[in-house]
Each structure stands twice: as structure tokens, then as C-alpha cells.
Amino acid sequence: MASGNMKGYFKQKKSGGGRGIAKPKPSKKSTKIQPTHVATLGSDVVQPSTLSAHNLQDDEYDGNETVLRQFDMNMAYGPCLGMSRLARWERAQRLGLNPPKEIETLLKQGKARADCLWDGCV
Amino acid sequence: MEAMEIDAEKHLQRKQSLYESLDEKFRIEKETYRGQQYSQIYFARLHMMRTLIYSLIPNWKPHLPVCTVLGLEEGKECIIVGTLYKHMKLKPCILDEYSKERSVAPLVKPHNFMHSDDSLVLEDESGRVKLGGTMLLPSVYVTGTVVGLHGKETSAGEFLVQDILDADLPPQIELPLKSTVLSIALALTREDKYVVFVSGLSVGSSTSNPLQFQLLVDHITGHLGDEKEQGIAAQIVHVVIAGNSVAVPRGLLNGQNLASKDQSRLSEPIKELDILLTQIAAGLPLDIMPGPDDPANFSLPQQPLHRCLFPGSSAYNSFRSCTNPHSFELENIRFLGTSGQNVDDLEKYSEAKDKLEFMERTLRWRHLAPTAPNTLGCYPFTDRDPFLIESCPHVYFVGNQDKYETRLIKGSEGQVVRLICIPKFCETGVAVVVSSVSS
């Protein structure tokens, strides 16, 4: 499932103005536009292989985001879709699941994405 | 001829009582919808109940290991805890409307959807497993209950159930007066206070008789009867109306523009109800809960009926519009109840010998409405499940039932609950009076 071959299957759109479905991000923490991570709008990455190295194309993706994604995918804290990461962390805290404190500090600093990795993509 | 004696005017004072509303967890004003699905509420429910059941296992079968569904090994006896899902072939499914083969049978049967082929599946975050054996009856359980099961995996991949652990009744705050010498003396002097429950008034419907309701209001407010009757009425400290108070003439709402005379016809029932409620609210505290037919939101927990529907009664601070389900504490007695949707839904998907048995099951499962959100509309909470019963009520009521029924049930730790089915007033003309002294 190499990303290059899949282009033919999906409708190609102009990569210029097509930011149609990206939600307006509430916090303008970075000046760079964060690309959506799945098959939309002529993006190269068609398969949402979120934990793999394919997504290292953008500079936003750094060590912090990996840690947060691991937090998103961890089954023990429940489903991640439909909640902001901080709300999910707080819920885990309240239910006594002892989520790692670093996640809270990372989210409260505000440099990372507030929503889970699937947000806006499903 | 003797002159008629005029009784010296005796002022009867209505008794007062301490009231505290516990409806906070059923309000949804602070919730924001962020596109979440129901998986969140199921997770919250599973987690809270599982922690609870894990704490009960050492008292039940401490020698058996506890594992998750994915950790099951063939032939090994263990305990698993998860949410039940009941697969029912007669349950109406939206996809049936799109199926290519249209069967002759109608798409929705109004009554019970049970079938002898119904099967149960247990699910937790790691996976699901089909449940077999004869211990766990699909006719008793419904989707959404969280139970602990003792059994083992068979070679067919099923989990053969040998025993079931329900959470059972939650802990109950003891009523302040228990049987001691001092308390018996106090009980003799203790005042007996009454709470009146009524539901299914359906003001404005063809089956409701306004004279009956007026008679009830007159009795409650003390306008009926002699001194003795009025004395009894003076002991009524609270009135709770458990849903379906008004019947909006839905025939008028057919998609056409409403003529002005139709517009006034639409609001007549609620105006009539307001007039009668004002009479009650002027005399004593009144709680009104929304029901399935009332002008409130559809999904549970139903939010309080808006104050502007009751311009007359809401002027009184004794008028309280409450949520459905409704929980309050009166004189240290904890009341909990609904307008009937939870029990009516259970009746469609399981069977019991009477409605009280459904109510008892919801208490033993510690969940007011286990079928929500599967077949009963429910708000998609993310961080909690407000229908979990944390503290056992002393009185548990359900409105809009066919007949009046009541029973006293006991728990393993000394909990005592009075279960009450409140009948529809428009059909039976029966209201229920609960006394605060003696169960």
C-alpha cells in the first residue's frame, strides 16, 4: 500500500485553495497550516498510517505528538473520538486510571494539538 | 329548636418538611456536543461498574482469576466483567428499510421484541465473546447491563456461564430513626407526613376527566371534607407529578400552517394545566417532571419543562420544574423515580412477572435505564453516566403505568426500598400517597 500508487484511485483536487474541510482551529498557536492527515484534497498521504514514519513530512510532528498519539490510542482510557485530549485526560484522572502527568503538562502548555488524531478525519 | 353551633374556627396548619433536590447530575446545560458518539457513555458506564464489581469479587469467588475477554483461555475457569449485548432478531433495525427483500411482516411490532433465538454477548474494551449455557437467561437481561460472569471458554469459542454476579443494591444511607428505645418514643410523637404522587394527567386528551383532577386538587388543598379530612390533607407536604401531564393535540400538527384558532387550540391544554397547578402551588410545594408526551426534549435525561409554559404557577416558589429522572430528599428520605420510559423500554426487550420486577432489576443492576442509549434515547455524555445509581433510594417510583403496584424489597446489607408503580391518572383516577413514617 505505497502512498504513490493510490493517487489514481482518489479524485484529485487542486492542492492550492482546497482547505475546505479543515475546521477552523480555535487556537492559532502555530503559523504553519496543519495539513489533515488522511486522504483528502490531493494530499500525498492516503492511508492514515498515523503511527508510522510516513507522517514525518510536516514539522509539527515531533516527539510530543508521538507521545500524545500513544495516549490517544491507549484503550485503557476509553475512546478518543469526540473529546478533546485534555477532557479525555481529565476523565481518565477522575476515573482513577492514573494517566501520565506529562500528557497534562504537554496539553496545558498549548503547543500540541488539542484534539485527538482522528479529529476532523472521520 | 337549638341554634346550630358554629364551630370555633380551627386553623389547620399544613406541615412543613425539608426538601433537597438532587437533580444536578441530570442537567445538561453545561454539556457541549462535540460530535461524540455513544462509545463514550458506554466506556464511562463499563469503567464505573467494573471497578465496583471487581471490589465485590473477593466476597463472591475469591479463588478464581479475573481476566479480560481477550485474555480468555480455553478450558480455564475464570471471571470476566463486561457489558452485555443482546442480539435480538426481531428488534427493528434501520437497515431493514433498505433491504432488498421486503418481507410480508410489518417492519415494527409495537410490543415485545423477544424471541427464543435471542443470544447474549459480553463485551469489554478488548473484545467480545458469545455467551452460552443455561444459567444466563436472555429473557431477563438486556443490552447495556454490566455483569460479572464466572465460567470458562469452550472449544467452540463460546463462554459457558456457570454463575452470574450482579452489582446488587447500592449502599443506602440509613434513615435516622432505627429501632432503639429512644427512637420508639420519638416515633410516637413523630409527625406523619404525606407525599402525593400522580402521573399521566394528560390534560387535554379525550380520556382525561377534568372533574377528577379538580377533585384531587381540592382534596390536596384542603377544600374538601370535614375537619378530619382536612386534617389528613394538612399532612400532605409535597406533590410530585411524574410525567405526561399534558396531551398536545398532535392532529393539528400536520405540516400545514396553523390557523389562528388552531394556534389557540394547541396551547389550551397547557393553559388548563397551569390553572390547576396554580391551585396546588399556592398551597404546598409541587414538583413537575416531563414525560414521554410532554413538550420537553425526547432523550433522557429529559430537561425540566420551561417556566414560560406555566405563567401562573411559576410565580410561586413552591413550583419546581424537575428533570426526568428525578431525585430528591425529603425529611432525610431519598426518593428516586422516572416518568416510566426506562421500565416501558425494559418491557419491550425482556420479560418479568410484573413491572415491579423490572424496577427491582434496575436497582440490582445499579442502573436506571440500561437500555439507554441502545433503544432508549439518551444524551451522549462523555465523562459520566448519570443513570448509575450510586446511593440506594428509600422510595423508588415509576410513573405512567397501567395499575398501582407496590412492594418492599430488601438488600443484602440491610437496604430497604419501597417500589411504587404510579398508574395513569387519566385512565384510573388513582393517585398514590406515601407516608414518611414506617415503610
Side-chain angles (χ1 to χ4, degrees):
Chain A
M1 288 231 223
S3 10
N5 294 344
M6 301 299 273
K7 263 194 184 178
Y9 289 83
F10 292 89
K11 192 167 75 159
Q12 297 296 301
K13 281 204 180 158
K14 293 196 191 115
S15 47
R19 294 284 170 213
I21 74 169
K23 290 188 332 218
K25 297 278 185 262
S27 57
K28 295 210 167 97
K29 296 289 189 319
S30 70
T31 50
K32 293 194 178 120
I33 301 167
Q34 213 171 39
T36 52
H37 291 289
V38 283
T40 57
L41 314 169
S43 159
D44 272 343
V45 180
V46 232
Q47 174 69 20
S49 47
T50 48
L51 296 178
S52 77
H54 281 294
N55 284 20
L56 283 170
Q57 54 177 340
D58 45 286
D59 302 0
E60 287 293 324
Y61 187 89
D62 57 355
N64 283 339
E65 185 67 14
T66 327
V67 172
L68 286 171
R69 283 189 181 172
Q70 293 287 2
F71 172 68
D72 282 344
M73 300 299 286
N74 193 341
M75 255 182 352
Y77 307 126
C80 63
L81 248 190
M83 287 179 92
S84 70
R85 280 170 167 165
L86 188 58
R88 184 160 171 267
W89 189 93
E90 277 164 3
R91 175 181 74 183
Q93 177 82 319
R94 234 177 302 127
L95 293 177
L97 295 162
N98 290 324
K101 280 254 174 257
E102 306 85 59
I103 312 262
E104 189 197 11
T105 38
L106 260 181
L107 291 169
K108 288 210 168 135
Q109 271 165 15
K111 291 199 202 108
R113 249 175 74 115
D115 299 311
C116 79
L117 72 158
W118 303 114
D119 198 74
C121 307
V122 180
Chain B
M1 193 172 73
E2 271 185 353
M4 262 194 351
E5 274 189 347
I6 300 173
D7 293 321
E9 269 207 29
K10 206 168 166 195
H11 288 281
L12 283 166
Q13 289 276 44
R14 188 180 293 278
K15 304 249 162 70
Q16 307 261 325
S17 64
L18 292 166
Y19 173 93
E20 196 194 332
S21 167
L22 303 164
D23 278 347
E24 198 49 48
K25 62 178 177 167
F26 299 121
R27 306 290 299 235
I28 57 174
E29 290 115 337
K30 297 195 191 73
E31 305 283 333
T32 43
Y33 183 64
R34 304 183 83 252
Q36 68 267 25
Q37 297 190 8
Y38 290 118
S39 53
Q40 310 281 2
I41 188 176
Y42 274 121
F43 170 71
R45 183 187 304 180
L46 175 63
H47 186 84
M48 305 279 309
M49 291 295 298
R50 189 169 48 189
T51 317
L52 186 73
I53 294 182
Y54 277 179
S55 68
L56 296 173
I57 289 175
N59 289 340
W60 184 54
K61 296 190 180 184
H63 52 281
L64 289 170
V66 176
C67 59
T68 60
V69 169
L70 217 53
L72 281 176
E73 286 167 28
E74 196 183 315
K76 180 175 136 199
E77 263 188 49
C78 59
I79 298 178
I80 52 173
V81 181
T83 318
L84 284 175
Y85 175 77
K86 183 151 89 167
H87 184 75
M88 304 175 81
K89 64 191 247 188
L90 291 180
K91 185 174 113 178
C93 170
I94 191 75
L95 298 174
D96 291 340
E97 291 182 32
Y98 297 98
S99 74
K100 296 218 163 72
E101 320 127 10
R102 284 296 188 102
S103 58
V104 183
L107 286 171
V108 177
K109 257 171 38 179
H111 300 295
N112 198 279
F113 297 109
M114 286 174 52
H115 193 271
S116 49
D117 285 345
D118 292 341
S119 60
L120 287 167
V121 169
L122 191 84
E123 185 176 313
D124 69 6
E125 303 106 331
S126 59
R128 37 163 52 189
V129 65
K130 198 158 178 301
L131 300 173
T134 50
M135 284 296 301
L136 196 63
L137 291 170
S139 57
V140 168
Y141 288 87
V142 287
T143 303
T145 43
V146 179
V147 289
L149 299 174
H150 158 218
K152 56 175 179 260
E153 193 186 345
T154 61
S155 52
E158 269 191 3
F159 187 79
L160 187 72
V161 178
Q162 290 163 305
D163 204 356
I164 310 155
L165 175 66
D166 286 328
D168 214 11
L169 293 182
Q172 190 181 56
I173 301 168
E174 276 183 20
L175 284 174
L177 293 182
K178 302 271 296 182
S179 50
T180 64
V181 174
L182 181 62
S183 69
I184 293 171
L186 281 173
L188 289 172
T189 55
R190 193 164 157 215
E191 309 163 320
D192 199 2
K193 296 183 185 170
Y194 299 143
V195 178
V196 171
F197 289 92
V198 67
S199 81
L201 294 166
S202 296
V203 170
S205 80
S206 50
T207 49
S208 83
N209 185 350
L211 288 175
Q212 262 187 339
F213 187 29
Q214 186 65 59
L215 196 69
L216 176 69
V217 171
D218 285 340
H219 171 69
I220 295 173
T221 51
H223 288 109
L224 269 186
D226 63 348
E227 222 174 84
K228 188 157 159 271
E229 280 283 326
Q230 290 179 322
I232 295 173
Q235 290 178 294
I236 301 175
V237 291
H238 208 84
V239 174
V240 177
I241 299 183
N244 280 358
S245 321
V246 73
V248 174
R250 289 180 201 274
L252 294 174
L253 304 167
N254 56 1
Q256 307 288 325
N257 283 336
L258 276 181
S260 57
K261 71 167 163 65
D262 281 346
Q263 272 181 0
S264 49
R265 265 178 65 198
L266 201 64
S267 56
E268 257 166 39
I270 197 94
K271 282 190 198 152
E272 199 184 318
L273 177 70
D274 187 34
I275 293 172
L276 290 160
L277 292 184
T278 314
Q279 294 173 30
I280 306 179
L284 71 163
L286 167 70
D287 284 357
I288 180 162
M289 293 163 61
D293 297 338
D294 284 328
N297 59 317
F298 168 73
S299 54
L300 291 185
Q302 281 183 294
Q303 297 304 291
L305 294 164
H306 204 283
R307 296 186 56 207
C308 58
L309 290 169
F310 306 106
S313 347
S314 53
Y316 290 94
N317 67 352
S318 49
F319 175 81
R320 210 176 267 110
S321 186
C322 307
T323 57
N324 168 32
H326 181 36
S327 173
F328 63 97
E329 204 171 280
L330 195 84
E331 295 286 310
N332 291 318
I333 302 171
R334 194 170 272 238
F335 292 77
L336 174 66
T338 65
S339 300
Q341 291 105 321
N342 57 338
V343 166
D344 291 340
D345 206 57
L346 277 177
E347 202 187 16
K348 286 194 212 159
Y349 298 99
S350 62
E351 72 182 359
K353 64 178 196 288
D354 54 18
K355 295 287 177 81
L356 294 170
E357 198 176 329
F358 286 126
M359 291 170 71
E360 190 178 339
R361 283 184 196 160
T362 60
L363 278 181
R364 293 202 190 273
W365 292 331
R366 296 207 200 185
H367 200 278
L368 269 177
T371 51
N374 186 36
T375 44
L376 192 55
C378 163
Y379 182 86
F381 291 96
T382 51
D383 53 353
R384 64 201 169 97
D385 185 349
F387 304 110
L388 287 169
I389 306 173
E390 269 134 32
S391 170
C392 193
H394 298 102
V395 176
Y396 182 35
F397 64 92
V398 157
N400 293 302
Q401 297 307 304
D402 296 322
K403 56 183 177 35
Y404 164 67
E405 289 180 293
T406 182
R407 189 181 297 152
L408 204 62
I409 60 165
K410 299 196 191 322
S412 56
E413 288 162 26
Q415 301 101 325
V416 177
V417 190
R418 165 64 64 185
L419 304 178
I420 308 175
C421 282
I422 309 166
K424 294 191 189 105
F425 191 79
C426 60
E427 284 168 20
T428 59
V430 174
V432 179
V433 179
V434 179
S435 147
S436 65
V437 166
S438 77
S439 4

